[in-house]
Amino acid sequence: MISNKLIVGLLFVVAMSITSCKPKGTTSVISGDAATKVYVPPGQYDEFYNFVSGGFSGQLSVYGIPSGRLLRVIPVFSSDPEKGWGFNEETKPMLNTSHGIVPWDDLHHVEMSQTNGEADGKWVFVNGNNTPRLARIDLKTFRTAEILELPNSGGNHSSPFGTENSEYIVASTRFSVPSDANPDVPISTYKENFKGHISFVSVDKETGEMKVAFQLKAPGVNFDLARAGKGKSHGWFFFSCYNTELANTLLEVNASQKDKDFILAINWKKAEEYIKEGKGTKQAVKYSHNKYDETTHTAKSEMETEVTVLDLANTEGIAYLIPCPKSPHGCDVDPTGEYIIGSGKLAALIPVFSFDKLQKAIAEKKFETEKFGGIPVIKYEAALYGEVQKPGLGPLHTEFDGKGNAYTSMFVSSEVVKWNIKDLKVLDRAPTYYSVGHLMIPGGNTKKPFGKYLVAYNKITKDRYLPTGPELAQSAQLYDISGDKMKLLLDFPTIGEPHYAQAIPAALIKDKQAKIFDINSNKHQYKTNGEEDAKVVREGNAVHVYMTSIRSHFVPDNIEGVKVGDEVFFHVTNLEQDWDVPHGFGIKGANNAELLIMPGETLTLKWIPDRVGIFPMYCTDFCSALHQEMSGYVRVSPKGSTLPITFNSSKKTAAK
Amino acid sequence: MKKSIITTLSLMATILIIGSCGGGGSTSEKSTNETEQPETTQTPSEQPEAKPESKADPSTYDPKRGEGKFNESNVKLGALDAAMADKGKAIAATKCNSCHKQTDEKLVGPGWKGVTHRKTPHWIMNFITNPDPMISKDPELQAQLEICLVRMPNQNLNDEEARNILEYMRQNDEVK
């Protein structure tokens, strides 16, 4: 008996060892030529720009692929003292919301602008998950050009996914909330009063400017991710949602009751028509719209006050629900636009839906008898192309190589699984280290993927890097997918927790880079057009310093007549017109940060001196052999002092 | 009997644990063999050639002409054009005067007084539009750098701006 139990026990060990063991040796799976495949020699460039979400850092990071070298961190939703983002007067309005300045957000997903279903390298869109926002980053300057807050939303997770010509970028709420018009309701009335709003944000083709074109009001589910149709399914949008139980407490139990949740299919062209016909309802709301002007080097924040909402419960022909097992997370459309891959994060299979079958099911009204929240529910089998059986545990996200294969990340079993879209057979699996979330193939969301590399973005990195206290480096892993079998090439650390990312061939971006801001086009209100215009002007208790910087001095570099409690504004114009020669500006005791001023740009640091004394100021960015000499002094006198404002520079003094 | 079953299963378990842990490794090794030659990670167009100017033989540098697009044929001087000189003065106020005085006194860079007598017009035009490569080669500029210690910044002057500045320099040198 005892030995029988032992046998059963050993059989269990045998069975478990097949599925659950993670490779322990950190180098055991690297093949000999991996290093040569990721080595980019000094002076040479990477093949791809990889735009990686900075997760809870609120920023967007840019890596080179295949080297994994960090090229840039672009501040978006979080203030960044390194670049003065959110600290200088010009960028503060970018972080404005209807709640005032919110200097942090949780940046999850990355979407590149597209033309004809391919990334065009103009802009990158990212979402702020916490205080619902969308941002647009200009890929000429690698700067955040616009941030748009979203009304009627409680968590902008299912965002910012775009259509094949970037007609729209969507922003749908993960946390359903009551409408902004009537928010003070008991939480126990969740089922009646909490709704999931989907914002369709239009993008101007030339300027990229975003606008909330309309919102769709859906039942109070949790929208998770989304993908636009493409090719034959262009005009449709697909959204995964969980919590169709409409629970509002202990979601890990209560939102996992049903065997199937839904993918919401939206005919957005039809929704557009309804809006044109005036079927939407105008609602008074308040949300900020922040734009950075490249000629004034200054951001403006405006409050928008209206949004048009279309209730999906009262519309025909726009919205359909497709049952999807179980708590679907990813919802990905293949390059042909025919297959919609659902990934139930608690499901043991991957359902693949067919766009053609979906259209047929709608035409033939193959619906369940009961609607959900007024929306028809298509019969599961009527839309289903097939299921990938036993793909692994915890399927999350799928990307495509353009050769008929899909790659799905498996969170629980820590692996990437490659399978064929046509016959739904698993072809290969590669371990990740560990708990992979999103994965990315350059162009993997478009009509034409570059199926050479795959990057896995992992949640856990135990034993991969030198330990650094309780928190370890976040990680991405690069695989070669050019052959039949995936090959691990490289680990590289990332910032925050990496969520989604996208990549584009470097050639599409590299040569469009702005190198300087033309000083003659600088329309900043406080620009100083050369040293002869430098001055210090008192207006009441405000002191405006019109300052210039060039290798290797400021003008003026000596200022007297400033009093304790004055509001001193240093408007610094960088007179350089040479690539990669920014100047910095820091002053002792400033309660914000530094300025980092690009060639031809003007930026403003506000400083309120708190005590009497001499305050040194200096350039923070090493600019020349005489960089250390690029400094000066401000003398601060007591509050009632009658000392007039005077200023000079050693150069001007010498001239006299 | 039972003992041998247990032994066998234990062995199987061990092998499978090892096998499943090392599985990724053996897969990779296999695929390594499939790929004979590592592909280069660069497309040819992305491999920047070593910059021609750094390769160039310094003896081919013409200190009279400098290096750039200007020469005797495309820089022609006439009587002083006051309108052009005025434009040049305005550009200099934004882009040049931070470092240069119009006298012979050095600020960050040398004073401008007399420059149009010392240098050819096309040398000046080349230098102010293409400073970095010239500083690296021109013996007089290298000697000047030892005094100033700041390489002249490229101020991104276009051809017209450069020509106007030259005219302003001539005016400053009292050319009629």
Side-chain angles (χ1 to χ4, degrees):
Chain A
M1 281 306 278
I2 291 164
S3 49
N4 274 352
K5 264 190 189 167
L6 195 59
I7 291 168
V8 173
L10 280 166
L11 277 171
F12 181 72
V13 171
V14 173
M16 287 309 288
S17 70
I18 295 168
T19 53
S20 69
C21 185
K22 291 169 186 167
K24 288 286 187 283
T26 49
T27 54
S28 65
V29 291
I30 285 280
S31 55
D33 64 345
T36 59
K37 290 194 166 197
V38 302
Y39 182 64
V40 178
Q44 293 193 16
Y45 297 122
D46 276 290
E47 282 179 77
F48 293 94
Y49 283 101
N50 187 195
F51 297 92
V52 183
S53 89
F56 45 75
S57 82
Q59 318 296 39
L60 180 69
S61 51
V62 187
Y63 293 83
I65 297 290
S67 73
R69 298 181 295 198
L70 176 64
L71 305 176
R72 186 115 196 109
V73 175
I74 304 170
V76 186
F77 297 117
S78 297
S79 50
D80 179 357
E82 181 197 14
K83 300 167 187 90
W85 182 256
F87 292 102
N88 60 52
E89 295 307 299
E90 289 78 4
T91 56
K92 277 179 186 172
M94 291 300 280
L95 300 178
N96 195 34
T97 72
S98 59
H99 305 276
I101 300 268
V102 178
W104 169 84
D105 216 310
D106 182 13
L107 188 156
H108 270 229
H109 307 124
V110 178
E111 181 84 3
M112 303 198 68
S113 58
Q114 292 187 15
T115 304
N116 299 322
E118 292 178 59
D120 56 24
K122 286 186 187 168
W123 306 298
V124 170
F125 300 93
V126 294
N127 64 328
N129 196 28
N130 179 55
T131 304
R133 286 180 269 185
L134 264 184
R136 176 172 58 87
I137 289 117
D138 190 323
L139 290 180
K140 287 196 310 290
T141 56
F142 277 56
R143 282 190 174 181
T144 304
E146 189 177 5
I147 292 181
L148 180 65
E149 194 185 359
L150 301 157
N152 291 324
S153 300
N156 179 29
H157 192 274
S158 177
S159 177
F161 302 99
T163 55
E164 68 177 35
N165 294 298
S166 295
E167 291 96 340
Y168 294 104
I169 299 294
V170 296
S172 23
T173 189
R174 174 163 64 154
F175 309 119
S176 282
V177 287
S179 131
D180 285 359
N182 184 25
D184 186 17
V185 296
I187 298 175
S188 61
T189 63
Y190 185 101
K191 286 191 167 84
E192 303 89 80
N193 289 325
F194 286 49
K195 298 292 170 195
H197 283 80
I198 301 173
S199 307
F200 275 76
V201 175
S202 61
V203 177
D204 184 277
K205 270 196 164 23
E206 298 304 318
T207 63
E209 185 167 330
M210 304 188 288
K211 181 173 180 274
V212 182
F214 56 90
Q215 287 192 318
L216 302 176
K217 183 158 111 182
V221 296
N222 294 40
F223 286 108
D224 203 349
L225 290 162
R227 272 287 172 227
K230 52 172 85 83
K232 57 156 70 171
S233 53
H234 179 59
W236 286 74
F237 228 115
F238 306 94
F239 300 85
S240 61
C241 57
Y242 61 97
N243 192 19
T244 52
E245 294 83 353
L246 302 181
N248 57 279
T249 176
L250 280 179
L251 290 199
E252 83 265 35
V253 177
N254 293 330
S256 305
Q257 299 286 312
K258 292 185 184 167
D259 188 46
K260 289 192 176 64
D261 290 291
F262 295 123
I263 285 174
L264 172 65
I266 295 288
N267 182 339
W268 59 260
K269 291 226 162 154
K270 192 112 188 159
E272 253 181 356
E273 283 170 28
Y274 277 36
I275 294 293
K276 258 185 214 152
E277 289 163 16
K279 289 185 177 158
T281 311
K282 290 211 188 324
Q283 187 189 326
V285 285
K286 198 181 159 198
Y287 61 99
S288 69
H289 189 183
N290 313 330
K291 287 176 272 182
Y292 194 82
D293 183 326
E294 246 180 58
T295 58
T296 61
H297 304 292
T298 303
K300 272 203 181 109
S301 178
E302 287 171 356
M303 278 302 155
E304 305 272 2
T305 54
E306 192 180 77
V307 68
T308 304
V309 181
L310 195 59
D311 190 345
L312 292 181
N314 313 317
T315 54
E316 286 284 320
I318 291 180
Y320 302 92
L321 291 162
I322 310 169
C324 183
K326 182 180 184 176
S327 293
H329 189 62
C331 166
D332 297 289
V333 180
D334 87 311
T336 68
E338 164 63 8
Y339 301 104
I340 303 128
I341 322 292
S343 289
K345 60 182 185 272
L346 307 177
L349 54 80
I350 302 172
V352 179
F353 301 100
S354 150
F355 181 72
D356 288 343
K357 285 186 78 174
L358 172 70
Q359 295 307 307
K360 200 159 169 261
I362 292 168
E364 294 171 3
K365 295 198 176 350
K366 288 185 182 164
F367 301 142
E368 300 287 351
T369 46
E370 297 235 341
K371 286 185 172 180
F372 179 87
I375 303 172
V377 179
I378 289 163
K379 283 191 166 28
Y380 177 61
E381 286 77 14
L384 186 72
Y385 171 71
E387 293 169 340
V388 183
Q389 296 298 329
K390 295 207 181 301
L393 298 178
L396 289 186
H397 304 282
T398 302
E399 291 258 309
F400 308 92
D401 64 4
K403 301 169 210 159
N405 302 309
Y407 298 72
T408 303
S409 58
M410 299 289 167
F411 179 78
V412 178
S413 54
S414 286
E415 58 187 338
V416 178
V417 174
K418 175 183 179 180
W419 51 277
N420 182 276
I421 306 172
K422 276 268 146 58
D423 65 17
L424 308 177
K425 293 250 165 49
V426 172
L427 301 174
D428 188 25
R429 46 183 75 235
T432 59
Y433 310 93
Y434 303 95
S435 301
V436 56
H438 280 271
L439 43 69
M440 184 281 303
I441 292 171
N445 67 315
T446 70
K447 282 181 176 172
K448 284 190 187 152
F450 304 88
K452 185 172 173 188
Y453 298 112
L454 177 148
V455 184
Y457 302 95
N458 304 334
K459 307 297 183 192
I460 307 286
T461 61
K462 287 183 205 297
D463 80 19
R464 297 304 280 183
Y465 300 99
L466 283 174
T468 51
E471 193 186 7
L472 300 175
Q474 314 282 337
S475 139
Q477 292 191 303
L478 178 74
Y479 295 83
D480 178 349
I481 57 164
S482 57
D484 288 343
K485 299 288 178 191
M486 292 175 267
K487 285 167 66 179
L488 178 62
L489 299 178
L490 180 72
D491 291 340
F492 59 93
T494 59
I495 60 163
E497 178 203 325
H499 290 272
Y500 191 47
Q502 289 194 348
I504 188 169
L508 290 172
I509 294 182
K510 165 165 91 71
D511 300 331
K512 295 180 189 167
Q513 292 312 295
K515 295 185 171 174
I516 55 160
F517 294 104
D518 178 3
I519 187 108
N520 298 317
S521 307
N522 180 334
K523 304 278 187 290
H524 192 290
Q525 191 187 347
Y526 295 102
K527 175 197 181 186
T528 305
N529 200 25
E531 289 184 355
E532 283 156 43
D533 288 351
K535 61 191 172 201
V536 184
V537 181
R538 175 180 286 286
E539 291 167 13
N541 74 331
V543 176
H544 292 274
V545 182
Y546 294 72
M547 183 181 265
T548 63
S549 63
I550 195 161
R551 283 166 272 184
S552 302
H553 59 273
F554 294 113
V555 174
D557 66 2
N558 279 227
I559 300 168
E560 301 189 34
V562 172
K563 292 178 271 186
V564 169
D566 278 346
E567 291 191 329
V568 184
F569 296 90
F570 295 98
H571 309 289
V572 186
T573 299
N574 181 351
L575 294 176
E576 306 273 358
Q577 290 286 274
D578 197 359
W579 199 12
D580 197 24
V581 189
H583 288 291
F585 178 83
I587 185 160
K588 181 183 172 182
N591 293 121
N592 37 30
E594 65 157 356
L595 299 176
L596 191 63
I597 316 136
M598 297 305 124
E601 189 179 34
T602 304
L603 289 175
T604 302
L605 190 79
K606 182 177 168 182
W607 173 62
I608 304 176
D610 67 336
R611 65 193 71 172
V612 171
I614 301 292
F615 289 78
M617 54 190 182
Y618 71 101
C619 171
T620 54
D621 190 331
F622 213 106
C623 52
S624 76
L626 297 171
H627 161 77
Q628 296 290 91
E629 284 73 6
M630 194 166 176
S631 62
Y633 295 103
V634 180
R635 174 183 169 194
V636 176
S637 302
K639 230 180 180 97
S641 161
T642 53
L643 196 68
I645 289 282
T646 53
F647 58 94
N648 68 341
S649 84
S650 50
K651 316 295 184 257
K652 283 199 167 177
T653 313
K656 275 168 197 168
Chain B
M1 226 9 217
K2 272 179 187 165
K3 200 184 168 192
S4 69
I5 291 174
I6 293 165
T7 316
T8 313
L9 280 172
S10 306
L11 200 64
M12 269 177 71
T14 315
I15 290 167
L16 276 166
I17 289 166
I18 296 166
S20 64
C21 291
S26 56
T27 321
S28 295
E29 275 158 33
K30 231 181 262 166
S31 23
T32 309
N33 296 337
E34 282 158 21
T35 319
E36 298 281 39
Q37 273 307 101
E39 287 170 52
T40 58
T41 53
Q42 301 297 312
T43 56
S45 66
E46 282 172 354
Q47 293 188 343
E49 296 277 317
K51 288 191 175 141
E53 55 263 31
S54 61
K55 262 188 192 169
D57 179 2
S59 64
T60 64
Y61 177 78
D62 176 359
K64 286 264 180 301
R65 191 181 79 84
E67 184 175 299
K69 61 161 90 158
F70 300 104
N71 54 42
E72 279 160 336
S73 73
N74 56 18
V75 185
K76 295 231 160 66
L77 303 182
L80 186 84
D81 185 326
M84 276 170 74
D86 276 355
K87 284 185 197 162
K89 188 178 182 179
I91 299 157
T94 309
K95 294 193 169 185
C96 312
N97 296 357
S98 312
C99 300
H100 297 284
K101 291 183 169 215
Q102 275 63 55
T103 63
D104 56 8
E105 189 188 354
K106 172 187 163 296
L107 201 54
V108 177
W112 279 4
K113 196 78 205 162
V115 65
T116 59
H117 305 310
R118 293 194 299 273
K119 295 290 178 188
T120 64
H122 44 276
W123 185 97
I124 293 173
M125 293 277 287
N126 280 328
F127 181 50
I128 64 181
T129 55
N130 191 34
D132 236 13
M134 279 180 59
I135 295 169
S136 303
K137 273 171 225 162
D138 191 295
E140 283 185 34
L141 285 171
Q142 295 204 330
Q144 190 72 56
L145 181 60
E146 282 182 28
I147 298 163
C148 300
L149 294 172
V150 177
R151 296 174 78 89
M152 183 166 106
N154 186 338
Q155 286 294 75
N156 261 295
L157 297 168
N158 63 34
D159 295 356
E160 195 191 336
E161 285 175 326
R163 184 64 187 82
N164 290 339
I165 284 172
L166 174 63
E167 208 62 10
Y168 174 49
M169 285 171 164
R170 294 177 73 210
Q171 188 182 55
N172 191 50
D173 285 341
E174 288 161 29
V175 173
K176 303 276 166 168

